[in-house]
Amino acid sequence: MEMPKASDADKERFRSVVPDRPDVVVKPMFGNLGAFVNGNMFAGLFGPVIGVKLDDEARVQLESTERTVPFGPAERPMAGYAGLPEVWNAEGDGDDARVRAWVEKALDHVATLPPKEPKERKPKAAKK
């Protein structure tokens, strides 16, 4: 499974479209970035593609009106996420406004989900 790495410009653009709020955390994930609220990812970066987690109605609306792409590895795209149109990466400020609107919609949706519980860490095996 190939994991494309986001360029510095991709990461900068991603950070610029994610809302600057105290409850939002952006952190690295496999050489890319993810944006989280209450421990749940609402937007991610996979190479140059920004993916958003939407409710079914909004996702169907986006996918039926825009040239979306699968989000995540081609072999296993992430369910519930839509990759925003790659053409928006090059078309300028008007498209950044559309990206911000969909990222905000994803944030609003995911913020309604129960907070993710941190995984319990397994104790390290004793050295012999």
Side-chain angles (χ1 to χ4, degrees):
M1 183 177 329
E2 189 176 327
M3 295 293 282
K5 303 288 186 215
S7 69
D8 288 341
D10 294 332
K11 291 176 182 179
E12 184 178 319
R13 180 167 184 261
F14 180 76
R15 286 185 177 100
S16 77
V17 297
V18 170
D20 184 18
R21 294 183 10 185
D23 58 340
V24 171
V25 176
V26 175
K27 57 186 178 181
M29 291 185 56
F30 311 110
N32 294 287
L33 295 173
F36 298 80
V37 62
N38 300 325
N40 294 304
M41 189 168 87
F42 66 90
L45 186 62
F46 192 74
V49 177
I50 295 173
V52 290
K53 183 174 181 78
L54 300 165
D55 63 65
D56 290 339
E57 184 178 329
R59 188 175 40 75
V60 167
Q61 176 192 0
L62 175 63
E63 290 173 346
S64 68
T65 61
E66 301 291 346
R67 293 175 284 173
T68 60
V69 295
F71 182 69
E75 305 84 22
R76 291 184 56 193
M78 293 178 67
Y81 286 81
L84 298 178
E86 290 181 280
V87 69
W88 288 1
N89 292 346
E91 291 186 1
D93 292 338
D95 288 307
D96 280 352
R98 289 198 288 180
V99 171
R100 282 187 193 93
W102 284 104
V103 169
E104 187 76 39
K105 188 177 279 251
L107 170 58
D108 291 346
H109 165 63
V110 173
T112 66
L113 301 176
K116 191 162 198 163
E117 296 295 324
K119 289 185 179 179
E120 193 173 306
R121 291 187 173 250
K122 295 180 182 177
K124 291 185 178 182
K127 291 184 180 180
K128 294 181 181 183

mmCIF file of all heavy atoms in Angstrom, residues 65-99:
data_model
loop_
_atom_site.group_PDB
_atom_site.id
_atom_site.type_symbol
_atom_site.label_atom_id
_atom_site.label_comp_id
_atom_site.label_asym_id
_atom_site.label_seq_id
_atom_site.Cartn_x
_atom_site.Cartn_y
_atom_site.Cartn_z
ATOM 1 N N THR A 65 -22.353 16.551 -7.114
ATOM 2 C CA THR A 65 -22.227 17.852 -7.773
ATOM 3 C C THR A 65 -20.797 18.241 -8.110
ATOM 4 O O THR A 65 -20.583 19.201 -8.842
ATOM 5 C CB THR A 65 -22.840 18.969 -6.895
ATOM 6 O OG1 THR A 65 -22.137 19.011 -5.653
ATOM 7 C CG2 THR A 65 -24.315 18.756 -6.666
ATOM 8 N N GLU A 66 -19.817 17.517 -7.585
ATOM 9 C CA GLU A 66 -18.412 17.867 -7.807
ATOM 10 C C GLU A 66 -17.621 16.628 -8.218
ATOM 11 O O GLU A 66 -18.063 15.509 -8.023
ATOM 12 C CB GLU A 66 -17.800 18.454 -6.522
ATOM 13 C CG GLU A 66 -18.487 19.701 -6.012
ATOM 14 C CD GLU A 66 -18.298 20.924 -6.903
ATOM 15 O OE1 GLU A 66 -17.426 20.921 -7.802
ATOM 16 O OE2 GLU A 66 -19.028 21.905 -6.689
ATOM 17 N N ARG A 67 -16.441 16.870 -8.740
ATOM 18 C CA ARG A 67 -15.554 15.772 -9.163
ATOM 19 C C ARG A 67 -14.708 15.318 -7.973
ATOM 20 O O ARG A 67 -13.510 15.561 -7.915
ATOM 21 C CB ARG A 67 -14.671 16.220 -10.316
ATOM 22 C CG ARG A 67 -15.461 16.485 -11.591
ATOM 23 C CD ARG A 67 -14.578 17.043 -12.661
ATOM 24 N NE ARG A 67 -14.334 18.468 -12.321
ATOM 25 C CZ ARG A 67 -13.490 19.253 -12.953
ATOM 26 N NH1 ARG A 67 -12.783 18.798 -13.946
ATOM 27 N NH2 ARG A 67 -13.340 20.508 -12.579
ATOM 28 N N THR A 68 -15.347 14.667 -7.028
ATOM 29 C CA THR A 68 -14.632 14.191 -5.850
ATOM 30 C C THR A 68 -13.764 12.993 -6.214
ATOM 31 O O THR A 68 -13.920 12.399 -7.282
ATOM 32 C CB THR A 68 -15.609 13.793 -4.730
ATOM 33 O OG1 THR A 68 -16.456 12.749 -5.202
ATOM 34 C CG2 THR A 68 -16.447 14.973 -4.270
ATOM 35 N N VAL A 69 -12.855 12.664 -5.309
ATOM 36 C CA VAL A 69 -11.972 11.516 -5.498
ATOM 37 C C VAL A 69 -12.043 10.674 -4.225
ATOM 38 O O VAL A 69 -12.408 11.172 -3.164
ATOM 39 C CB VAL A 69 -10.517 11.974 -5.775
ATOM 40 C CG1 VAL A 69 -10.431 12.723 -7.098
ATOM 41 C CG2 VAL A 69 -9.969 12.834 -4.654
ATOM 42 N N PRO A 70 -11.706 9.386 -4.315
ATOM 43 C CA PRO A 70 -11.660 8.587 -3.095
ATOM 44 C C PRO A 70 -10.606 9.169 -2.154
ATOM 45 O O PRO A 70 -9.599 9.727 -2.600
ATOM 46 C CB PRO A 70 -11.252 7.195 -3.573
ATOM 47 C CG PRO A 70 -11.564 7.184 -5.035
ATOM 48 C CD PRO A 70 -11.415 8.600 -5.510
ATOM 49 N N PHE A 71 -10.814 9.040 -0.855
ATOM 50 C CA PHE A 71 -9.862 9.558 0.121
ATOM 51 C C PHE A 71 -9.167 8.402 0.816
ATOM 52 O O PHE A 71 -9.816 7.557 1.428
ATOM 53 C CB PHE A 71 -10.556 10.451 1.148
ATOM 54 C CG PHE A 71 -9.587 11.032 2.141
ATOM 55 C CD1 PHE A 71 -8.662 11.977 1.748
ATOM 56 C CD2 PHE A 71 -9.586 10.601 3.451
ATOM 57 C CE1 PHE A 71 -7.742 12.498 2.649
ATOM 58 C CE2 PHE A 71 -8.682 11.117 4.364
ATOM 59 C CZ PHE A 71 -7.758 12.069 3.961
ATOM 60 N N GLY A 72 -7.854 8.390 0.717
ATOM 61 C CA GLY A 72 -7.056 7.345 1.339
ATOM 62 C C GLY A 72 -6.415 6.474 0.276
ATOM 63 O O GLY A 72 -6.478 6.771 -0.918
ATOM 64 N N PRO A 73 -5.797 5.378 0.712
ATOM 65 C CA PRO A 73 -5.133 4.491 -0.240
ATOM 66 C C PRO A 73 -6.131 3.934 -1.257
ATOM 67 O O PRO A 73 -7.273 3.620 -0.905
ATOM 68 C CB PRO A 73 -4.583 3.362 0.642
ATOM 69 C CG PRO A 73 -4.604 3.885 2.037
ATOM 70 C CD PRO A 73 -5.674 4.929 2.092
ATOM 71 N N ALA A 74 -5.702 3.796 -2.489
ATOM 72 C CA ALA A 74 -6.583 3.294 -3.547
ATOM 73 C C ALA A 74 -7.142 1.917 -3.192
ATOM 74 O O ALA A 74 -8.294 1.611 -3.500
ATOM 75 C CB ALA A 74 -5.824 3.229 -4.872
ATOM 76 N N GLU A 75 -6.327 1.101 -2.502
ATOM 77 C CA GLU A 75 -6.766 -0.247 -2.149
ATOM 78 C C GLU A 75 -7.820 -0.235 -1.042
ATOM 79 O O GLU A 75 -8.597 -1.179 -0.919
ATOM 80 C CB GLU A 75 -5.580 -1.096 -1.647
ATOM 81 C CG GLU A 75 -4.414 -1.180 -2.594
ATOM 82 C CD GLU A 75 -3.452 0.018 -2.458
ATOM 83 O OE1 GLU A 75 -3.429 0.695 -1.415
ATOM 84 O OE2 GLU A 75 -2.731 0.270 -3.430
ATOM 85 N N ARG A 76 -7.812 0.793 -0.216
ATOM 86 C CA ARG A 76 -8.727 0.857 0.928
ATOM 87 C C ARG A 76 -9.121 2.296 1.240
ATOM 88 O O ARG A 76 -8.687 2.859 2.244
ATOM 89 C CB ARG A 76 -8.062 0.243 2.159
ATOM 90 C CG ARG A 76 -7.888 -1.251 2.042
ATOM 91 C CD ARG A 76 -7.332 -1.862 3.284
ATOM 92 N NE ARG A 76 -8.161 -1.540 4.448
ATOM 93 C CZ ARG A 76 -7.787 -1.735 5.691
ATOM 94 N NH1 ARG A 76 -6.603 -2.233 5.953
ATOM 95 N NH2 ARG A 76 -8.584 -1.437 6.690
ATOM 96 N N PRO A 77 -9.935 2.938 0.389
ATOM 97 C CA PRO A 77 -10.348 4.310 0.694
ATOM 98 C C PRO A 77 -11.123 4.351 2.012
ATOM 99 O O PRO A 77 -11.772 3.376 2.395
ATOM 100 C CB PRO A 77 -11.231 4.708 -0.482
ATOM 101 C CG PRO A 77 -11.302 3.554 -1.387
ATOM 102 C CD PRO A 77 -10.503 2.429 -0.832
ATOM 103 N N MET A 78 -11.040 5.466 2.698
ATOM 104 C CA MET A 78 -11.679 5.602 4.000
ATOM 105 C C MET A 78 -13.187 5.789 3.849
ATOM 106 O O MET A 78 -13.637 6.735 3.193
ATOM 107 C CB MET A 78 -11.061 6.776 4.764
ATOM 108 C CG MET A 78 -9.618 6.521 5.140
ATOM 109 S SD MET A 78 -8.844 7.905 5.989
ATOM 110 C CE MET A 78 -9.756 7.906 7.526
ATOM 111 N N ALA A 79 -13.946 4.909 4.452
ATOM 112 C CA ALA A 79 -15.405 4.977 4.394
ATOM 113 C C ALA A 79 -15.890 6.225 5.120
ATOM 114 O O ALA A 79 -15.363 6.610 6.157
ATOM 115 C CB ALA A 79 -16.005 3.729 5.039
ATOM 116 N N GLY A 80 -16.907 6.853 4.551
ATOM 117 C CA GLY A 80 -17.499 8.030 5.173
ATOM 118 C C GLY A 80 -16.799 9.330 4.820
ATOM 119 O O GLY A 80 -17.257 10.399 5.186
ATOM 120 N N TYR A 81 -15.677 9.237 4.121
ATOM 121 C CA TYR A 81 -14.913 10.429 3.728
ATOM 122 C C TYR A 81 -15.040 10.639 2.226
ATOM 123 O O TYR A 81 -15.126 9.684 1.463
ATOM 124 C CB TYR A 81 -13.433 10.272 4.065
ATOM 125 C CG TYR A 81 -13.122 10.389 5.533
ATOM 126 C CD1 TYR A 81 -13.310 9.311 6.390
ATOM 127 C CD2 TYR A 81 -12.652 11.584 6.069
ATOM 128 C CE1 TYR A 81 -13.033 9.412 7.741
ATOM 129 C CE2 TYR A 81 -12.378 11.689 7.422
ATOM 130 C CZ TYR A 81 -12.571 10.606 8.248
ATOM 131 O OH TYR A 81 -12.308 10.714 9.581
ATOM 132 N N ALA A 82 -15.012 11.893 1.820
ATOM 133 C CA ALA A 82 -14.964 12.246 0.405
ATOM 134 C C ALA A 82 -13.711 13.084 0.193
ATOM 135 O O ALA A 82 -13.424 13.991 0.987
ATOM 136 C CB ALA A 82 -16.196 13.049 -0.008
ATOM 137 N N GLY A 83 -12.964 12.770 -0.857
ATOM 138 C CA GLY A 83 -11.805 13.574 -1.225
ATOM 139 C C GLY A 83 -12.276 14.754 -2.047
ATOM 140 O O GLY A 83 -12.965 14.580 -3.052
ATOM 141 N N LEU A 84 -11.925 15.952 -1.608
ATOM 142 C CA LEU A 84 -12.353 17.152 -2.338
ATOM 143 C C LEU A 84 -11.684 17.174 -3.708
ATOM 144 O O LEU A 84 -10.582 16.638 -3.874
ATOM 145 C CB LEU A 84 -12.013 18.397 -1.530
ATOM 146 C CG LEU A 84 -12.729 18.480 -0.172
ATOM 147 C CD1 LEU A 84 -12.300 19.725 0.586
ATOM 148 C CD2 LEU A 84 -14.239 18.454 -0.339
ATOM 149 N N PRO A 85 -12.349 17.776 -4.696
ATOM 150 C CA PRO A 85 -11.818 17.762 -6.071
ATOM 151 C C PRO A 85 -10.382 18.276 -6.142
ATOM 152 O O PRO A 85 -10.074 19.352 -5.619
ATOM 153 C CB PRO A 85 -12.773 18.674 -6.830
ATOM 154 C CG PRO A 85 -14.052 18.584 -6.058
ATOM 155 C CD PRO A 85 -13.628 18.473 -4.619
ATOM 156 N N GLU A 86 -9.520 17.503 -6.768
ATOM 157 C CA GLU A 86 -8.118 17.896 -6.896
ATOM 158 C C GLU A 86 -7.974 19.186 -7.695
ATOM 159 O O GLU A 86 -7.044 19.959 -7.452
ATOM 160 C CB GLU A 86 -7.311 16.771 -7.536
ATOM 161 C CG GLU A 86 -7.156 15.577 -6.625
ATOM 162 C CD GLU A 86 -6.334 14.474 -7.234
ATOM 163 O OE1 GLU A 86 -6.878 13.711 -8.037
ATOM 164 O OE2 GLU A 86 -5.135 14.399 -6.881
ATOM 165 N N VAL A 87 -8.880 19.450 -8.593
ATOM 166 C CA VAL A 87 -8.803 20.668 -9.397
ATOM 167 C C VAL A 87 -8.919 21.911 -8.494
ATOM 168 O O VAL A 87 -8.391 22.968 -8.831
ATOM 169 C CB VAL A 87 -9.862 20.664 -10.527
ATOM 170 C CG1 VAL A 87 -11.269 20.801 -9.973
ATOM 171 C CG2 VAL A 87 -9.586 21.733 -11.555
ATOM 172 N N TRP A 88 -9.553 21.774 -7.340
ATOM 173 C CA TRP A 88 -9.650 22.910 -6.412
ATOM 174 C C TRP A 88 -8.282 23.300 -5.872
ATOM 175 O O TRP A 88 -8.106 24.414 -5.393
ATOM 176 C CB TRP A 88 -10.575 22.582 -5.245
ATOM 177 C CG TRP A 88 -12.028 22.514 -5.594
ATOM 178 C CD1 TRP A 88 -12.595 22.685 -6.820
ATOM 179 C CD2 TRP A 88 -13.103 22.230 -4.701
ATOM 180 N NE1 TRP A 88 -13.956 22.520 -6.740
ATOM 181 C CE2 TRP A 88 -14.292 22.237 -5.452
ATOM 182 C CE3 TRP A 88 -13.166 21.953 -3.338
ATOM 183 C CZ2 TRP A 88 -15.541 22.003 -4.883
ATOM 184 C CZ3 TRP A 88 -14.413 21.710 -2.770
ATOM 185 C CH2 TRP A 88 -15.584 21.740 -3.543
ATOM 186 N N ASN A 89 -7.307 22.404 -5.918
ATOM 187 C CA ASN A 89 -5.968 22.718 -5.418
ATOM 188 C C ASN A 89 -5.298 23.807 -6.231
ATOM 189 O O ASN A 89 -4.439 24.510 -5.730
ATOM 190 C CB ASN A 89 -5.073 21.475 -5.420
ATOM 191 C CG ASN A 89 -5.523 20.439 -4.414
ATOM 192 O OD1 ASN A 89 -6.332 20.712 -3.540
ATOM 193 N ND2 ASN A 89 -4.987 19.245 -4.539
ATOM 194 N N ALA A 90 -5.664 23.929 -7.496
ATOM 195 C CA ALA A 90 -4.970 24.848 -8.388
ATOM 196 C C ALA A 90 -5.796 26.053 -8.809
ATOM 197 O O ALA A 90 -5.275 26.937 -9.470
ATOM 198 C CB ALA A 90 -4.519 24.090 -9.635
ATOM 199 N N GLU A 91 -7.050 26.094 -8.446
ATOM 200 C CA GLU A 91 -7.915 27.125 -9.007
ATOM 201 C C GLU A 91 -7.983 28.416 -8.212
ATOM 202 O O GLU A 91 -8.633 29.354 -8.630
ATOM 203 C CB GLU A 91 -9.317 26.557 -9.250
ATOM 204 C CG GLU A 91 -9.313 25.553 -10.377
ATOM 205 C CD GLU A 91 -10.692 25.075 -10.764
ATOM 206 O OE1 GLU A 91 -11.681 25.522 -10.184
ATOM 207 O OE2 GLU A 91 -10.767 24.234 -11.659
ATOM 208 N N GLY A 92 -7.351 28.493 -7.049
ATOM 209 C CA GLY A 92 -7.238 29.779 -6.375
ATOM 210 C C GLY A 92 -8.204 30.014 -5.236
ATOM 211 O O GLY A 92 -8.826 29.097 -4.710
ATOM 212 N N ASP A 93 -8.314 31.293 -4.858
ATOM 213 C CA ASP A 93 -9.031 31.692 -3.650
ATOM 214 C C ASP A 93 -10.507 31.303 -3.636
ATOM 215 O O ASP A 93 -11.035 30.959 -2.591
ATOM 216 C CB ASP A 93 -8.919 33.208 -3.444
ATOM 217 C CG ASP A 93 -7.502 33.617 -3.101
ATOM 218 O OD1 ASP A 93 -6.735 32.751 -2.621
ATOM 219 O OD2 ASP A 93 -7.161 34.788 -3.317
ATOM 220 N N GLY A 94 -11.183 31.356 -4.758
ATOM 221 C CA GLY A 94 -12.589 30.972 -4.787
ATOM 222 C C GLY A 94 -12.778 29.534 -4.379
ATOM 223 O O GLY A 94 -13.730 29.183 -3.680
ATOM 224 N N ASP A 95 -11.854 28.692 -4.801
ATOM 225 C CA ASP A 95 -11.945 27.285 -4.431
ATOM 226 C C ASP A 95 -11.531 27.055 -2.990
ATOM 227 O O ASP A 95 -12.038 26.158 -2.343
ATOM 228 C CB ASP A 95 -11.142 26.427 -5.404
ATOM 229 C CG ASP A 95 -11.843 26.369 -6.748
ATOM 230 O OD1 ASP A 95 -13.032 26.020 -6.779
ATOM 231 O OD2 ASP A 95 -11.212 26.700 -7.755
ATOM 232 N N ASP A 96 -10.614 27.878 -2.463
ATOM 233 C CA ASP A 96 -10.283 27.766 -1.044
ATOM 234 C C ASP A 96 -11.517 28.061 -0.194
ATOM 235 O O ASP A 96 -11.718 27.432 0.840
ATOM 236 C CB ASP A 96 -9.142 28.707 -0.670
ATOM 237 C CG ASP A 96 -7.779 28.149 -1.053
ATOM 238 O OD1 ASP A 96 -7.707 26.969 -1.467
ATOM 239 O OD2 ASP A 96 -6.791 28.895 -0.943
ATOM 240 N N ALA A 97 -12.358 28.977 -0.641
ATOM 241 C CA ALA A 97 -13.597 29.269 0.094
ATOM 242 C C ALA A 97 -14.505 28.037 0.085
ATOM 243 O O ALA A 97 -15.124 27.716 1.105
ATOM 244 C CB ALA A 97 -14.311 30.471 -0.510
ATOM 245 N N ARG A 98 -14.578 27.340 -1.049
ATOM 246 C CA ARG A 98 -15.397 26.120 -1.101
ATOM 247 C C ARG A 98 -14.790 25.035 -0.213
ATOM 248 O O ARG A 98 -15.508 24.334 0.499
ATOM 249 C CB ARG A 98 -15.516 25.608 -2.546
ATOM 250 C CG ARG A 98 -16.393 26.498 -3.399
ATOM 251 C CD ARG A 98 -16.870 25.808 -4.634
ATOM 252 N NE ARG A 98 -15.807 25.623 -5.611
ATOM 253 C CZ ARG A 98 -15.985 25.036 -6.781
ATOM 254 N NH1 ARG A 98 -17.171 24.572 -7.125
ATOM 255 N NH2 ARG A 98 -14.993 24.911 -7.623
ATOM 256 N N VAL A 99 -13.471 24.903 -0.240
ATOM 257 C CA VAL A 99 -12.808 23.917 0.621
ATOM 258 C C VAL A 99 -13.109 24.233 2.083
ATOM 259 O O VAL A 99 -13.501 23.353 2.853
ATOM 260 C CB VAL A 99 -11.277 23.886 0.365
ATOM 261 C CG1 VAL A 99 -10.577 23.031 1.410
ATOM 262 C CG2 VAL A 99 -10.977 23.378 -1.039
#
